[in-house]
PDB file of all heavy atoms in Angstrom:
ATOM      1  N   LEU A 913     126.643 162.381  75.296  1.00  0.00           N
ATOM      2  CA  LEU A 913     127.684 161.690  76.050  1.00  0.00           C
ATOM      3  C   LEU A 913     127.138 161.141  77.364  1.00  0.00           C
ATOM      4  O   LEU A 913     127.699 160.209  77.931  1.00  0.00           O
ATOM      5  CB  LEU A 913     128.857 162.628  76.330  1.00  0.00           C
ATOM      6  CG  LEU A 913     129.748 162.945  75.139  1.00  0.00           C
ATOM      7  CD1 LEU A 913     130.802 163.962  75.536  1.00  0.00           C
ATOM      8  CD2 LEU A 913     130.390 161.694  74.598  1.00  0.00           C
ATOM      9  N   LEU A 914     126.042 161.699  77.863  1.00  0.00           N
ATOM     10  CA  LEU A 914     125.438 161.195  79.091  1.00  0.00           C
ATOM     11  C   LEU A 914     124.735 159.858  78.874  1.00  0.00           C
ATOM     12  O   LEU A 914     124.330 159.208  79.831  1.00  0.00           O
ATOM     13  CB  LEU A 914     124.450 162.218  79.661  1.00  0.00           C
ATOM     14  CG  LEU A 914     125.074 163.522  80.143  1.00  0.00           C
ATOM     15  CD1 LEU A 914     123.997 164.502  80.544  1.00  0.00           C
ATOM     16  CD2 LEU A 914     126.031 163.273  81.281  1.00  0.00           C
ATOM     17  N   ASP A 915     124.590 159.429  77.630  1.00  0.00           N
ATOM     18  CA  ASP A 915     123.958 158.153  77.321  1.00  0.00           C
ATOM     19  C   ASP A 915     124.980 157.074  76.986  1.00  0.00           C
ATOM     20  O   ASP A 915     124.615 155.931  76.774  1.00  0.00           O
ATOM     21  CB  ASP A 915     122.994 158.308  76.145  1.00  0.00           C
ATOM     22  CG  ASP A 915     121.831 159.213  76.488  1.00  0.00           C
ATOM     23  OD1 ASP A 915     121.372 159.165  77.638  1.00  0.00           O
ATOM     24  OD2 ASP A 915     121.406 159.974  75.607  1.00  0.00           O
ATOM     25  N   LYS A 916     126.247 157.450  76.916  1.00  0.00           N
ATOM     26  CA  LYS A 916     127.300 156.507  76.561  1.00  0.00           C
ATOM     27  C   LYS A 916     128.079 156.107  77.799  1.00  0.00           C
ATOM     28  O   LYS A 916     128.021 156.752  78.830  1.00  0.00           O
ATOM     29  CB  LYS A 916     128.268 157.132  75.557  1.00  0.00           C
ATOM     30  CG  LYS A 916     127.663 157.432  74.218  1.00  0.00           C
ATOM     31  CD  LYS A 916     128.707 157.992  73.308  1.00  0.00           C
ATOM     32  CE  LYS A 916     128.112 158.310  71.951  1.00  0.00           C
ATOM     33  NZ  LYS A 916     129.120 158.827  71.026  1.00  0.00           N
ATOM     34  N   GLY A 917     128.828 155.056  77.674  1.00  0.00           N
ATOM     35  CA  GLY A 917     129.743 154.618  78.715  1.00  0.00           C
ATOM     36  C   GLY A 917     131.059 154.251  78.067  1.00  0.00           C
ATOM     37  O   GLY A 917     131.132 154.013  76.865  1.00  0.00           O
ATOM     38  N   ASN A 918     132.121 154.188  78.857  1.00  0.00           N
ATOM     39  CA  ASN A 918     133.414 153.801  78.307  1.00  0.00           C
ATOM     40  C   ASN A 918     133.959 152.559  78.986  1.00  0.00           C
ATOM     41  O   ASN A 918     135.062 152.115  78.686  1.00  0.00           O
ATOM     42  CB  ASN A 918     134.419 154.948  78.421  1.00  0.00           C
ATOM     43  CG  ASN A 918     134.754 155.298  79.857  1.00  0.00           C
ATOM     44  OD1 ASN A 918     134.134 154.822  80.796  1.00  0.00           O
ATOM     45  ND2 ASN A 918     135.745 156.150  80.021  1.00  0.00           N
ATOM     46  N   GLN A 919     133.184 151.977  79.929  1.00  0.00           N
ATOM     47  CA  GLN A 919     133.691 150.836  80.688  1.00  0.00           C
ATOM     48  C   GLN A 919     132.545 149.907  81.065  1.00  0.00           C
ATOM     49  O   GLN A 919     131.499 150.357  81.523  1.00  0.00           O
ATOM     50  CB  GLN A 919     134.374 151.338  81.962  1.00  0.00           C
ATOM     51  CG  GLN A 919     135.011 150.270  82.805  1.00  0.00           C
ATOM     52  CD  GLN A 919     136.306 149.770  82.211  1.00  0.00           C
ATOM     53  OE1 GLN A 919     137.132 150.554  81.764  1.00  0.00           O
ATOM     54  NE2 GLN A 919     136.487 148.471  82.186  1.00  0.00           N
ATOM     55  N   ASP A 920     132.770 148.607  80.867  1.00  0.00           N
ATOM     56  CA  ASP A 920     131.828 147.605  81.353  1.00  0.00           C
ATOM     57  C   ASP A 920     132.256 147.210  82.758  1.00  0.00           C
ATOM     58  O   ASP A 920     133.436 146.928  82.998  1.00  0.00           O
ATOM     59  CB  ASP A 920     131.815 146.376  80.443  1.00  0.00           C
ATOM     60  CG  ASP A 920     131.202 146.683  79.097  1.00  0.00           C
ATOM     61  OD1 ASP A 920     130.134 147.327  79.073  1.00  0.00           O
ATOM     62  OD2 ASP A 920     131.782 146.297  78.071  1.00  0.00           O
ATOM     63  N   ILE A 921     131.318 147.205  83.694  1.00  0.00           N
ATOM     64  CA  ILE A 921     131.612 146.876  85.083  1.00  0.00           C
ATOM     65  C   ILE A 921     130.624 145.831  85.575  1.00  0.00           C
ATOM     66  O   ILE A 921     129.651 145.507  84.888  1.00  0.00           O
ATOM     67  CB  ILE A 921     131.511 148.122  85.992  1.00  0.00           C
ATOM     68  CG1 ILE A 921     130.066 148.636  86.029  1.00  0.00           C
ATOM     69  CG2 ILE A 921     132.483 149.201  85.562  1.00  0.00           C
ATOM     70  CD1 ILE A 921     129.759 149.517  87.206  1.00  0.00           C
ATOM     71  N   ILE A 922     130.880 145.330  86.772  1.00  0.00           N
ATOM     72  CA  ILE A 922     129.902 144.519  87.489  1.00  0.00           C
ATOM     73  C   ILE A 922     129.622 145.267  88.782  1.00  0.00           C
ATOM     74  O   ILE A 922     130.527 145.544  89.559  1.00  0.00           O
ATOM     75  CB  ILE A 922     130.418 143.103  87.770  1.00  0.00           C
ATOM     76  CG1 ILE A 922     130.725 142.404  86.448  1.00  0.00           C
ATOM     77  CG2 ILE A 922     129.391 142.317  88.583  1.00  0.00           C
ATOM     78  CD1 ILE A 922     131.331 141.041  86.591  1.00  0.00           C
ATOM     79  N   LEU A 923     128.361 145.631  88.986  1.00  0.00           N
ATOM     80  CA  LEU A 923     127.942 146.405  90.152  1.00  0.00           C
ATOM     81  C   LEU A 923     127.334 145.483  91.197  1.00  0.00           C
ATOM     82  O   LEU A 923     126.479 144.661  90.891  1.00  0.00           O
ATOM     83  CB  LEU A 923     126.909 147.451  89.738  1.00  0.00           C
ATOM     84  CG  LEU A 923     126.239 148.202  90.880  1.00  0.00           C
ATOM     85  CD1 LEU A 923     127.240 149.110  91.581  1.00  0.00           C
ATOM     86  CD2 LEU A 923     125.068 148.997  90.372  1.00  0.00           C
ATOM     87  N   TYR A 924     127.804 145.625  92.430  1.00  0.00           N
ATOM     88  CA  TYR A 924     127.250 144.923  93.578  1.00  0.00           C
ATOM     89  C   TYR A 924     126.578 145.983  94.450  1.00  0.00           C
ATOM     90  O   TYR A 924     127.230 146.593  95.298  1.00  0.00           O
ATOM     91  CB  TYR A 924     128.353 144.195  94.353  1.00  0.00           C
ATOM     92  CG  TYR A 924     129.074 143.159  93.515  1.00  0.00           C
ATOM     93  CD1 TYR A 924     130.173 143.509  92.736  1.00  0.00           C
ATOM     94  CD2 TYR A 924     128.635 141.843  93.483  1.00  0.00           C
ATOM     95  CE1 TYR A 924     130.828 142.574  91.956  1.00  0.00           C
ATOM     96  CE2 TYR A 924     129.284 140.898  92.697  1.00  0.00           C
ATOM     97  CZ  TYR A 924     130.380 141.268  91.943  1.00  0.00           C
ATOM     98  OH  TYR A 924     131.020 140.332  91.160  1.00  0.00           O
ATOM     99  N   PRO A 925     125.292 146.247  94.235  1.00  0.00           N
ATOM    100  CA  PRO A 925     124.631 147.357  94.934  1.00  0.00           C
ATOM    101  C   PRO A 925     124.470 147.086  96.430  1.00  0.00           C
ATOM    102  O   PRO A 925     124.561 145.945  96.881  1.00  0.00           O
ATOM    103  CB  PRO A 925     123.272 147.454  94.249  1.00  0.00           C
ATOM    104  CG  PRO A 925     123.034 146.102  93.697  1.00  0.00           C
ATOM    105  CD  PRO A 925     124.373 145.527  93.370  1.00  0.00           C
ATOM    106  N   GLU A 926     124.209 148.151  97.161  1.00  0.00           N
ATOM    107  CA  GLU A 926     123.977 148.051  98.598  1.00  0.00           C
ATOM    108  C   GLU A 926     122.638 147.371  98.868  1.00  0.00           C
ATOM    109  O   GLU A 926     121.642 147.671  98.225  1.00  0.00           O
ATOM    110  CB  GLU A 926     123.974 149.454  99.190  1.00  0.00           C
ATOM    111  CG  GLU A 926     123.681 149.511 100.665  1.00  0.00           C
ATOM    112  CD  GLU A 926     123.637 150.941 101.163  1.00  0.00           C
ATOM    113  OE1 GLU A 926     122.557 151.544 101.116  1.00  0.00           O
ATOM    114  OE2 GLU A 926     124.694 151.437 101.565  1.00  0.00           O
ATOM    115  N   ILE A 927     122.638 146.443  99.822  1.00  0.00           N
ATOM    116  CA  ILE A 927     121.409 145.779 100.236  1.00  0.00           C
ATOM    117  C   ILE A 927     121.337 145.806 101.766  1.00  0.00           C
ATOM    118  O   ILE A 927     122.351 145.958 102.436  1.00  0.00           O
ATOM    119  CB  ILE A 927     121.321 144.318  99.734  1.00  0.00           C
ATOM    120  CG1 ILE A 927     122.512 143.501 100.235  1.00  0.00           C
ATOM    121  CG2 ILE A 927     121.216 144.270  98.218  1.00  0.00           C
ATOM    122  CD1 ILE A 927     122.390 142.019  99.990  1.00  0.00           C
ATOM    123  N   ALA A 928     120.137 145.665 102.291  1.00  0.00           N
ATOM    124  CA  ALA A 928     119.931 145.586 103.742  1.00  0.00           C
ATOM    125  C   ALA A 928     119.866 144.116 104.134  1.00  0.00           C
ATOM    126  O   ALA A 928     119.170 143.323 103.493  1.00  0.00           O
ATOM    127  CB  ALA A 928     118.647 146.303 104.130  1.00  0.00           C
ATOM    128  N   VAL A 929     120.618 143.740 105.172  1.00  0.00           N
ATOM    129  CA  VAL A 929     120.631 142.367 105.673  1.00  0.00           C
ATOM    130  C   VAL A 929     120.422 142.390 107.184  1.00  0.00           C
ATOM    131  O   VAL A 929     120.666 143.400 107.837  1.00  0.00           O
ATOM    132  CB  VAL A 929     121.943 141.639 105.323  1.00  0.00           C
ATOM    133  CG1 VAL A 929     122.101 141.475 103.829  1.00  0.00           C
ATOM    134  CG2 VAL A 929     123.139 142.343 105.907  1.00  0.00           C
ATOM    135  N   GLU A 930     119.995 141.259 107.703  1.00  0.00           N
ATOM    136  CA  GLU A 930     119.805 141.127 109.145  1.00  0.00           C
ATOM    137  C   GLU A 930     120.944 140.292 109.704  1.00  0.00           C
ATOM    138  O   GLU A 930     121.224 139.199 109.211  1.00  0.00           O
ATOM    139  CB  GLU A 930     118.463 140.449 109.419  1.00  0.00           C
ATOM    140  CG  GLU A 930     118.104 140.396 110.874  1.00  0.00           C
ATOM    141  CD  GLU A 930     116.715 139.823 111.097  1.00  0.00           C
ATOM    142  OE1 GLU A 930     115.824 140.089 110.275  1.00  0.00           O
ATOM    143  OE2 GLU A 930     116.547 139.111 112.097  1.00  0.00           O
ATOM    144  N   ASP A 931     121.630 140.809 110.732  1.00  0.00           N
ATOM    145  CA  ASP A 931     122.726 140.050 111.323  1.00  0.00           C
ATOM    146  C   ASP A 931     122.179 139.032 112.326  1.00  0.00           C
ATOM    147  O   ASP A 931     120.971 138.941 112.532  1.00  0.00           O
ATOM    148  CB  ASP A 931     123.781 140.979 111.944  1.00  0.00           C
ATOM    149  CG  ASP A 931     123.277 141.767 113.136  1.00  0.00           C
ATOM    150  OD1 ASP A 931     122.203 141.442 113.666  1.00  0.00           O
ATOM    151  OD2 ASP A 931     123.975 142.714 113.540  1.00  0.00           O
ATOM    152  N   ARG A 932     123.061 138.272 112.954  1.00  0.00           N
ATOM    153  CA  ARG A 932     122.606 137.189 113.833  1.00  0.00           C
ATOM    154  C   ARG A 932     121.889 137.679 115.087  1.00  0.00           C
ATOM    155  O   ARG A 932     121.197 136.924 115.748  1.00  0.00           O
ATOM    156  CB  ARG A 932     123.782 136.293 114.200  1.00  0.00           C
ATOM    157  CG  ARG A 932     124.840 136.992 114.998  1.00  0.00           C
ATOM    158  CD  ARG A 932     125.981 136.075 115.292  1.00  0.00           C
ATOM    159  NE  ARG A 932     126.990 136.789 116.083  1.00  0.00           N
ATOM    160  CZ  ARG A 932     128.163 136.330 116.342  1.00  0.00           C
ATOM    161  NH1 ARG A 932     128.516 135.150 115.891  1.00  0.00           N
ATOM    162  NH2 ARG A 932     129.011 137.034 117.050  1.00  0.00           N
ATOM    163  N   ASP A 933     122.066 138.961 115.421  1.00  0.00           N
ATOM    164  CA  ASP A 933     121.369 139.533 116.571  1.00  0.00           C
ATOM    165  C   ASP A 933     120.039 140.172 116.186  1.00  0.00           C
ATOM    166  O   ASP A 933     119.354 140.737 117.033  1.00  0.00           O
ATOM    167  CB  ASP A 933     122.249 140.595 117.240  1.00  0.00           C
ATOM    168  CG  ASP A 933     123.525 140.003 117.818  1.00  0.00           C
ATOM    169  OD1 ASP A 933     123.459 138.846 118.306  1.00  0.00           O
ATOM    170  OD2 ASP A 933     124.564 140.675 117.781  1.00  0.00           O
ATOM    171  N   GLY A 934     119.687 140.120 114.904  1.00  0.00           N
ATOM    172  CA  GLY A 934     118.423 140.686 114.450  1.00  0.00           C
ATOM    173  C   GLY A 934     118.497 142.147 114.052  1.00  0.00           C
ATOM    174  O   GLY A 934     117.479 142.769 113.785  1.00  0.00           O
ATOM    175  N   ASN A 935     119.707 142.711 114.009  1.00  0.00           N
ATOM    176  CA  ASN A 935     119.879 144.104 113.617  1.00  0.00           C
ATOM    177  C   ASN A 935     119.956 144.218 112.096  1.00  0.00           C
ATOM    178  O   ASN A 935     120.536 143.371 111.434  1.00  0.00           O
ATOM    179  CB  ASN A 935     121.154 144.680 114.224  1.00  0.00           C
ATOM    180  CG  ASN A 935     121.139 144.619 115.733  1.00  0.00           C
ATOM    181  OD1 ASN A 935     120.158 144.977 116.361  1.00  0.00           O
ATOM    182  ND2 ASN A 935     122.228 144.140 116.312  1.00  0.00           N
ATOM    183  N   ILE A 936     119.382 145.272 111.573  1.00  0.00           N
ATOM    184  CA  ILE A 936     119.435 145.519 110.135  1.00  0.00           C
ATOM    185  C   ILE A 936     120.675 146.368 109.841  1.00  0.00           C
ATOM    186  O   ILE A 936     120.906 147.392 110.474  1.00  0.00           O
ATOM    187  CB  ILE A 936     118.179 146.261 109.642  1.00  0.00           C
ATOM    188  CG1 ILE A 936     116.925 145.460 109.988  1.00  0.00           C
ATOM    189  CG2 ILE A 936     118.254 146.543 108.148  1.00  0.00           C
ATOM    190  CD1 ILE A 936     116.822 144.135 109.296  1.00  0.00           C
ATOM    191  N   ARG A 937     121.480 145.925 108.869  1.00  0.00           N
ATOM    192  CA  ARG A 937     122.651 146.688 108.450  1.00  0.00           C
ATOM    193  C   ARG A 937     122.771 146.590 106.932  1.00  0.00           C
ATOM    194  O   ARG A 937     122.054 145.813 106.304  1.00  0.00           O
ATOM    195  CB  ARG A 937     123.920 146.187 109.136  1.00  0.00           C
ATOM    196  CG  ARG A 937     124.262 144.758 108.838  1.00  0.00           C
ATOM    197  CD  ARG A 937     125.507 144.306 109.611  1.00  0.00           C
ATOM    198  NE  ARG A 937     125.890 142.974 109.244  1.00  0.00           N
ATOM    199  CZ  ARG A 937     126.617 142.637 108.188  1.00  0.00           C
ATOM    200  NH1 ARG A 937     127.057 143.575 107.372  1.00  0.00           N
ATOM    201  NH2 ARG A 937     126.910 141.400 107.919  1.00  0.00           N
ATOM    202  N   THR A 938     123.655 147.376 106.367  1.00  0.00           N
ATOM    203  CA  THR A 938     123.819 147.362 104.912  1.00  0.00           C
ATOM    204  C   THR A 938     125.175 146.780 104.539  1.00  0.00           C
ATOM    205  O   THR A 938     126.148 146.885 105.295  1.00  0.00           O
ATOM    206  CB  THR A 938     123.698 148.781 104.331  1.00  0.00           C
ATOM    207  OG1 THR A 938     124.671 149.619 104.949  1.00  0.00           O
ATOM    208  CG2 THR A 938     122.314 149.347 104.551  1.00  0.00           C
ATOM    209  N   GLU A 939     125.203 146.163 103.365  1.00  0.00           N
ATOM    210  CA  GLU A 939     126.442 145.622 102.811  1.00  0.00           C
ATOM    211  C   GLU A 939     126.265 145.495 101.304  1.00  0.00           C
ATOM    212  O   GLU A 939     125.164 145.663 100.778  1.00  0.00           O
ATOM    213  CB  GLU A 939     126.780 144.263 103.416  1.00  0.00           C
ATOM    214  CG  GLU A 939     125.803 143.171 103.072  1.00  0.00           C
ATOM    215  CD  GLU A 939     126.178 141.828 103.671  1.00  0.00           C
ATOM    216  OE1 GLU A 939     126.783 141.783 104.754  1.00  0.00           O
ATOM    217  OE2 GLU A 939     125.852 140.815 103.038  1.00  0.00           O
ATOM    218  N   ALA A 940     127.354 145.193 100.622  1.00  0.00           N
ATOM    219  CA  ALA A 940     127.281 145.001  99.174  1.00  0.00           C
ATOM    220  C   ALA A 940     126.639 143.649  98.872  1.00  0.00           C
ATOM    221  O   ALA A 940     126.880 142.665  99.575  1.00  0.00           O
ATOM    222  CB  ALA A 940     128.679 145.058  98.566  1.00  0.00           C
TER     223      ALA A 940
END
């Protein structure tokens, strides 16, 4: 059962981005 799924989804994983001030933050 650990190899099966019951739902198809679309995953938007976390990524690191740089904001306009040059700071690194995370978002989907």
Side-chain angles (χ1 to χ4, degrees):
L913 286 176
L914 294 174
D915 295 324
K916 294 182 180 181
N918 65 351
Q919 183 75 45
D920 291 314
I921 65 160
I922 300 176
L923 172 68
Y924 300 88
E926 177 182 89
I927 58 170
V929 296
E930 186 175 324
D931 66 13
R932 64 182 180 190
D933 296 325
N935 301 313
I936 302 295
R937 61 183 185 83
T938 57
E939 66 179 31

